[in-house]
Amino acid sequence: MDGSTRPDTTVAGLQASLSARSISTFILAALLATGGLVILLVVLPSARGPAWSVLTGGLWLVFLIIVAFKSICCLLPAQAPRQISPRPRRWPHYTVVAALKDEAEMVPQLIRRLARIDYPTRHLTGLLVVEADDHATLAAILATPRPPWLEPLIAPAGSPQTKPRALNVALERAPSGLLTVYDAEDEPHPEQLKEAAATFAAGGSDLACLQAPLRIRTLGRSPTWLERQFAHEYAALFEVILPAMVRLGLPIPLGGTSNHFRVEILKSVGGWDPWNVTEDADLGFRLTRMGYRTGILTRATRESAPPAFRAWLPQRTRWLKGFMQTIIVHLRHPFDLGWRGLAALMLTLGAAIASAALQGPVLAWITASLLVHGLNRSWPDFTVANLGLLLLGWLVAIWTVRIGARRTSAHFSILDAVSSPLYWSLTSLAQVHAAWRLVFQPSHWDKTPHQPDLEGRKPPRRALRFRASLPTSPVSPIQATGPWKFLISKRTPTSAPASSSATAPKTSRECGRPDA
């Protein structure tokens, strides 16, 4: 299917003031202000002391507020799972979108996982969006058996070639109802769409978006230290911070995948900003600016962590660059966000940028001071206030991670806790790279490479058996019987050729997920 065929209903244009396409003026002003301050301090040495005191005092107050905010989040209880009515009056139409770029190897696994979604297929539309020049991914989609509701969509050639641009192509084709976004490596809970539909029905017309939690897991092998730290970071954010922000009535930065929207509202606010590399976080605050609310789901989507530092660094660079883009865009008219939106913007994206900029240098300075003074048998001249706030901040951060890990039943050891500051300091490298990219390559998309999960690679006989049970007939042979369990019928679909009773027994068996 070619995305160049436009439907009657199109996405409203995004206002220029709410797009990251033109942020060069703000960047130039920030560089000039920084350069002027440095020159002033060099020319007037007497101003260095007061300037340093103001800077350190301001940072001390900011981090105290962040520590207090995280402490409040830790004290709030977890959200209880929503009960789903087995027979609602009407299921709304749902559009499932996945934007794929150079993901040919991930396509079979993704289609298998999307085929397990427990939702009436007559109310489902699935769009796998590929770029016009990505022939390998398109060929993989066409070669893989897939449900009849899931089809490829070719995004016409254009610029910038980013994920949000591809999502906007799909949004233009989405019928009225609800829409969700998944990534190539995602494994959504089968009942996630039903929970979202029920939550929207009970949430009021101003509820525009629901964010499902993202949980990191590694299949087929033991996770590395970097993968464990990444999983703990996600657990703290999606299981502790974001649910608490919703309870407090604060807007949240969306997580890029497993976002569920009302299609009409999403179109009315202009869809995604194709020039922002964290289009999800930007959209979360834009919905708030337009007067809408965001909620949280309980049925999670499972993902894989970046397997190595060379994959982690570009991803984190893109996040931090996008956070800076989003802050620049929304500070053009800050009061339109309201005090809640402005506070949430600074407590999430602003805090992430500040933490990434300071964690590495602070840890290096403390380590160097302890080594130098240890060799001289003296005590470093740390002030009680600064040292106390630093230790308190690290303890609260570890507390947040511990709560998130407990809610997801993730392993969290003393060694992981002690080594967490080392992981946080790695973000300083990404922050330096992100600042450089913001100036010289603001819309460049750092693509995260993905590999299929190890347990998703099955022997040929098992793979053929699963392919035979894909929902190619009007009635899907895959039915969810409980969380993460499936009833796989071994009957041949009605559209398949007839086979002997030896190869098509009429019995069923309950088993775990084929790739879990």
Side-chain angles (χ1 to χ4, degrees):
M1 181 183 298
D2 194 335
S4 61
T5 304
R6 302 297 184 192
D8 295 334
T9 303
T10 58
V11 181
L14 185 64
Q15 299 178 24
S17 62
L18 297 179
S19 174
R21 182 171 186 173
S22 300
I23 59 175
S24 56
T25 303
F26 189 96
I27 295 174
L28 180 61
L31 292 175
L32 291 176
T34 303
L37 180 60
V38 172
I39 293 174
L40 180 64
L41 294 179
V42 171
V43 174
L44 298 176
S46 59
R48 296 175 188 172
W52 179 254
S53 299
V54 171
L55 177 61
T56 55
L59 289 175
W60 194 92
L61 180 61
V62 167
F63 276 92
L64 180 62
I65 294 174
I66 294 174
V67 170
F69 165 70
K70 288 188 175 181
S71 300
I72 294 173
C73 293
C74 291
L75 294 174
L76 294 177
Q79 183 176 350
R82 173 180 288 274
Q83 298 298 321
I84 301 175
S85 173
R87 294 183 179 179
R89 289 182 298 175
R90 182 179 64 87
W91 288 114
H93 193 88
Y94 232 113
T95 303
V96 178
V97 180
L100 307 177
K101 173 63 176 174
D102 299 328
E103 299 285 10
E105 194 175 0
M106 298 294 295
V107 165
Q109 174 179 281
L110 175 64
I111 290 179
R112 261 197 320 270
R113 292 174 173 177
L114 294 182
R116 301 172 188 155
I117 291 176
D118 181 17
Y119 200 83
T121 56
R122 65 182 180 276
H123 297 305
L124 272 179
T125 296
L127 300 174
L128 303 177
V129 190
V130 297
E131 298 292 338
D133 59 351
D134 191 1
H135 306 294
T137 302
L138 179 60
I141 295 173
L142 296 176
T144 304
R146 61 186 186 277
W149 54 268
L150 189 60
E151 59 183 3
L153 173 64
I154 302 175
S159 179
Q161 198 174 81
T162 58
K163 174 185 174 182
R165 177 181 172 273
L167 294 178
N168 282 333
V169 172
L171 178 59
E172 290 185 346
R173 300 192 64 91
S176 298
L178 305 177
L179 179 146
T180 187
V181 176
Y182 291 124
D183 283 343
E185 75 277 20
D186 283 354
E187 184 184 12
H189 191 289
E191 294 181 342
Q192 189 179 109
L193 267 60
K194 285 186 174 180
E195 182 188 5
T199 306
F200 274 121
S205 59
D206 62 337
L207 181 61
C209 177
L210 295 169
Q211 171 70 65
L214 305 180
R215 294 178 184 170
I216 303 300
R217 50 86 181 102
T218 303
L219 296 179
R221 58 181 175 83
S222 298
T224 64
W225 174 81
L226 186 67
E227 290 172 324
R228 291 198 308 273
Q229 294 291 338
F230 191 85
H232 298 155
E233 185 179 28
Y234 263 51
L237 176 63
F238 288 97
E239 308 294 336
V240 182
I241 302 298
L242 297 187
M245 292 180 69
V246 171
R247 283 177 176 266
L248 295 172
L250 299 175
I252 63 173
L254 302 179
T257 177
S258 304
N259 313 136
H260 299 255
F261 301 95
R262 295 185 191 270
V263 172
E264 291 79 4
I265 293 178
L266 185 57
K267 289 181 177 181
S268 70
V269 301
W272 292 270
D273 180 7
W275 303 93
N276 193 316
V277 297
T278 52
E279 76 295 336
D280 42 8
D282 167 70
L283 182 55
F285 288 104
R286 184 153 26 102
L287 289 171
T288 298
R289 183 183 293 273
M290 303 298 181
Y292 296 108
R293 293 186 297 115
T294 302
I296 291 290
L297 299 176
T298 59
R299 287 162 176 80
T301 295
R302 296 180 178 177
E303 287 188 339
S304 300
F309 181 75
R310 65 179 177 272
W312 177 89
L313 182 61
Q315 183 187 58
R316 190 53 54 98
T317 297
R318 174 167 55 84
W319 289 2
L320 292 170
K321 182 179 71 172
F323 290 171
M324 289 187 286
Q325 288 178 322
T326 301
I327 288 178
I328 290 172
V329 167
H330 288 281
L331 285 185
R332 288 170 175 166
H333 305 285
F335 299 109
D336 291 346
L337 279 174
W339 73 267
R340 291 179 182 272
L342 193 59
L345 183 70
M346 293 306 170
L347 288 171
T348 54
L349 307 191
I353 294 171
S355 176
L358 295 176
Q359 286 284 359
V362 167
L363 183 62
W365 174 68
I366 291 177
T367 303
S369 297
L370 292 176
L371 289 175
V372 171
H373 286 277
L375 293 174
N376 295 330
R377 297 183 178 180
S378 60
W379 181 253
D381 54 348
F382 299 142
T383 64
V384 175
N386 292 340
L387 184 60
L389 180 61
L390 178 66
L391 294 178
L392 180 62
W394 282 355
L395 289 175
V396 170
I398 293 173
W399 182 26
T400 309
V401 170
R402 178 68 185 89
I403 294 175
R406 186 176 68 246
R407 291 177 181 177
T408 59
S409 301
H411 178 71
F412 185 67
S413 65
I414 296 298
L415 180 61
D416 291 330
V418 172
S419 60
S420 291
L422 179 60
Y423 173 77
W424 302 332
S425 67
L426 293 177
T427 58
S428 296
L429 299 176
Q431 178 61 48
V432 173
H433 197 192
W436 185 90
R437 284 286 182 89
L438 182 67
V439 176
F440 296 101
Q441 294 178 308
S443 298
H444 175 77
W445 188 275
D446 286 292
K447 178 74 172 61
T448 304
H450 300 123
Q451 293 292 328
D453 292 320
L454 292 178
E455 291 191 11
R457 304 168 184 172
K458 295 298 180 184
R461 183 178 180 183
R462 184 72 175 273
L464 290 174
R465 184 176 299 173
F466 180 78
R467 289 184 182 181
S469 64
L470 276 174
T472 55
S473 60
V475 179
S476 170
I478 302 181
Q479 299 175 340
T481 59
W484 310 93
K485 292 268 186 186
F486 300 88
L487 187 65
I488 300 183
S489 172
K490 298 171 69 177
R491 290 182 298 173
T492 304
T494 56
S495 60
S499 59
S500 65
S501 59
T503 58
K506 296 183 179 180
T507 59
S508 298
R509 61 183 177 88
E510 186 178 63
C511 65
R513 294 168 293 134
D515 63 340

